[in-house]
Amino acid sequence: MEESRPLLQLRGATVRFGAETAIDDVDFRMFAGEVHSLMGENGAGKSTLIKAITGAIPLDSGSLAVAGERVRFRTPHDAQRAGISTVYQEIDLLPNLTVAENICLGREPRRFGALDWAAMRTRARDVLADLGLDIDPASILATHSLAVQQLVAIARAISADVRVLVLDEPTSSLDADEVAELFRVMRDLTQRGVGILFVSHFLEQVYEICDRITVLRGGRLVGEYVPSELLRIDLVQKMLGRAVAELGVRGRIEAAPDAEAVLHGSGITRSPGITGADVELAEGDVLGLAGLLGSGRTELARALTGIDRLDAGIITISGQPAELTGPRRAISLGVVYSSENRRIEGIISELSVQENITLALQAERGILRRLRAQRRRELAISWIEALDIRPPDPDRPAGTLSGGNQQKVLLARLLALSPRVIVLDEPTRGIDVGAKVEIQNLVGELADNGLSVVFISAELEEVLRVASKVAVLRAGRVVQTLASDSLTVDSLMALVAQPDEYSEVPASITAPAESPPSTTRPRGGPA
């Protein structure tokens, strides 16, 4: 790899937001043909550094150079013209347009002054073929899963004349096969001389694909490292500034044997996605939903919380039939939902932390029963302190917080409603190991206090770490519900990946009762 001149280089980069310094005198470099990982816990300055590189925010001091030429981007369009393309963690496409229109947006081919739809579809099909995707370019983007939309966003980014490709958590919604396909494309791009800035909280992916790692902590540079020369445990310690053992990780949640049934679903059917699913949640339970992408995890969560109306089935809450005609009705019965898509269905970026926290409570009270300003502030401050939301500023726009702290704001909004059941869909997606442990520990504390939790994660190890029992989904059906302490990651993977006709647990893959829990990652449930 040629290192005589960096493809992209920041020197002394500093960005301030009022009195707060987001990144402070940071040096960063990446070379053509490499995959370079930017690591750090939430709030470390990664997003700010990316925005400075891509023209979304200006540097207060320092310099940026591309291929040795000093540049100053005033807008993201300036960065794109210089060959810098970005795919952000939260998909930023237009769901009402076709796949082809999204890929070619702003670069539409024309013929005789009009849009050349055939050429647009052909160009999109060629780009998708490079990613190994068989997607109809004429299909509406919104009809596809979140994972496919993520891949379309990546296809759009590489459809331009790209020199630097910034991927911010690109694999957070992809399954193993899709990740492998993305990595194949990334390696192909680096062979063409493209430099890829890869941001991910999956350490195994960083070590698999990256040539170099830069670590930030508290807005400052910790160092630049070669993965083969840095142990993973040492990387985590450099990110956090403390050892993993100091995180205060709780043990696996134990199911209460005689706890009161709070929510029961029988024969839940919602087309497409869920067929005849049965679930039961007792007081203090944490029910993990485990399944491959497309197994129906999110569809089941939305059906249980009134987001999507049932085609068939019965839901009872505390033994009483409950017709969930919508989320408002579910909330009135003590059932709340946190979506996997924080940007579209969660945080309102332009509103303050205080306004986001008190939003649902005010909506429940109605427009005629306004919360007093002092009460709103007291509530916000109490939840900021309880969940350790950083920075602890109730007036700060929520969109400027890190992903982990945005997730805490969403949890605060829901917990302010005093629910009995909380459904968390990918609550730790795209957040660092420290914030992830905090969220997992919080789930354990909520269960300790009698709250019932449905917990969804694509990471099977996390499901086992947090849940007291696990419902295994395949093709929209709950095929098994098992105590988490009877499973290992390998046995759970075998279950979720089985052909649909096999619903019994093979004796060869169950964990012995005395088997200790996996210790490859810290555990986050309560003792």
Side-chain angles (χ1 to χ4, degrees), residues 97-323:
L97 299 185
T98 66
V99 169
E101 287 173 301
N102 273 283
I103 289 175
C104 298
L105 191 64
R107 304 185 293 268
E108 299 90 344
R110 293 181 178 272
R111 188 167 183 264
F112 303 123
L115 291 178
D116 189 339
W117 295 101
M120 186 185 301
R121 286 190 288 271
T122 298
R123 182 185 298 178
R125 188 175 291 109
D126 290 343
V127 174
L128 292 167
D130 282 343
L131 284 172
L133 300 174
D134 183 17
I135 301 172
D136 181 4
S139 61
I140 300 299
L141 184 69
T143 62
H144 295 289
S145 68
L146 193 64
V148 171
Q149 292 183 40
Q150 180 74 63
L151 290 170
V152 171
I154 293 169
R156 168 176 165 74
I158 68 170
S159 66
D161 185 15
V162 62
R163 301 165 75 184
V164 175
L165 178 62
V166 181
L167 299 178
D168 186 3
E169 297 288 351
T171 62
S172 58
S173 299
L174 308 185
D175 64 22
D177 290 339
E178 289 164 331
V179 170
E181 189 65 23
L182 172 62
F183 283 2
R184 179 193 62 79
V185 173
M186 290 170 62
R187 293 185 182 102
D188 181 61
L189 289 171
T190 58
Q191 289 175 5
R192 303 178 205 171
V194 176
I196 299 178
L197 178 54
F198 181 76
V199 180
S200 175
H201 291 101
F202 296 110
L203 295 188
E204 63 276 12
Q205 294 179 5
V206 169
Y207 275 82
E208 177 181 350
I209 194 67
C210 292
D211 303 296
R212 203 188 314 265
I213 298 171
T214 290
V215 178
L216 299 180
R217 187 174 68 243
R220 298 187 66 87
L221 176 67
V222 175
E224 179 187 281
Y225 308 95
V226 176
S228 61
E229 299 173 359
L230 182 67
L231 295 175
R232 299 186 188 194
I233 192 70
D234 292 334
L235 172 58
V236 172
Q237 187 163 343
K238 290 179 185 299
M239 289 166 55
L240 303 180
R242 59 195 188 278
V244 173
E246 299 173 20
L247 291 176
V249 183
R250 298 163 61 108
R252 187 194 299 243
I253 295 171
E254 299 294 337
D258 301 317
E260 174 190 353
V262 175
L263 184 147
H264 179 81
S266 177
I268 296 174
T269 300
R270 165 71 185 186
S271 181
I274 290 293
T275 304
D278 295 337
V279 295
E280 183 168 288
L281 195 62
E283 182 177 322
D285 259 353
V286 178
L287 173 65
L289 300 187
L292 299 177
L293 192 69
S295 62
R297 296 169 309 186
T298 292
E299 290 83 354
L300 180 56
R302 292 172 66 90
L304 290 173
T305 53
I307 307 295
D308 296 331
R309 295 287 295 271
L310 300 185
D311 295 329
I314 298 173
I315 293 177
T316 60
I317 297 175
S318 297
Q320 300 298 315
E323 185 177 355

Side-chain angles (χ1 to χ4, degrees), residues 208-438:
E208 177 181 350
I209 194 67
C210 292
D211 303 296
R212 203 188 314 265
I213 298 171
T214 290
V215 178
L216 299 180
R217 187 174 68 243
R220 298 187 66 87
L221 176 67
V222 175
E224 179 187 281
Y225 308 95
V226 176
S228 61
E229 299 173 359
L230 182 67
L231 295 175
R232 299 186 188 194
I233 192 70
D234 292 334
L235 172 58
V236 172
Q237 187 163 343
K238 290 179 185 299
M239 289 166 55
L240 303 180
R242 59 195 188 278
V244 173
E246 299 173 20
L247 291 176
V249 183
R250 298 163 61 108
R252 187 194 299 243
I253 295 171
E254 299 294 337
D258 301 317
E260 174 190 353
V262 175
L263 184 147
H264 179 81
S266 177
I268 296 174
T269 300
R270 165 71 185 186
S271 181
I274 290 293
T275 304
D278 295 337
V279 295
E280 183 168 288
L281 195 62
E283 182 177 322
D285 259 353
V286 178
L287 173 65
L289 300 187
L292 299 177
L293 192 69
S295 62
R297 296 169 309 186
T298 292
E299 290 83 354
L300 180 56
R302 292 172 66 90
L304 290 173
T305 53
I307 307 295
D308 296 331
R309 295 287 295 271
L310 300 185
D311 295 329
I314 298 173
I315 293 177
T316 60
I317 297 175
S318 297
Q320 300 298 315
E323 185 177 355
L324 302 184
T325 54
R328 183 183 292 273
R329 174 60 175 161
I331 289 171
S332 72
L333 294 172
V335 180
V336 298
Y337 172 70
S338 174
S339 170
E340 66 175 331
N341 196 331
R342 285 193 295 264
R343 188 173 71 89
I344 301 300
E345 298 180 340
I347 284 292
I348 301 178
S349 299
E350 295 78 12
L351 296 185
S352 69
V353 170
Q354 173 180 305
E355 290 166 327
N356 270 278
I357 289 175
T358 58
L359 186 64
L361 185 60
Q362 181 60 70
E364 186 186 39
R365 290 169 60 92
I367 194 170
L368 299 179
R369 298 174 59 214
R370 300 282 295 177
L371 284 166
R372 292 182 295 108
Q374 181 179 353
R375 178 58 179 158
R376 289 200 304 271
R377 196 161 191 84
E378 288 173 352
L379 280 170
I381 291 173
S382 67
W383 283 112
I384 287 170
E385 292 176 352
L387 301 187
D388 191 24
I389 297 170
R390 292 173 283 171
D393 179 4
D395 298 318
R396 185 185 178 104
T400 65
L401 300 183
S402 66
N405 284 293
Q406 287 185 24
Q407 187 64 57
K408 290 181 183 180
V409 170
L410 278 178
L411 288 174
R413 178 194 297 171
L414 299 176
L415 294 174
L417 296 169
S418 301
R420 299 191 66 193
V421 177
I422 184 167
V423 179
L424 303 177
D425 194 352
E426 297 285 2
T428 66
R429 180 170 69 89
I431 64 177
D432 67 82
V433 62
K436 186 173 287 191
V437 169
E438 288 186 66

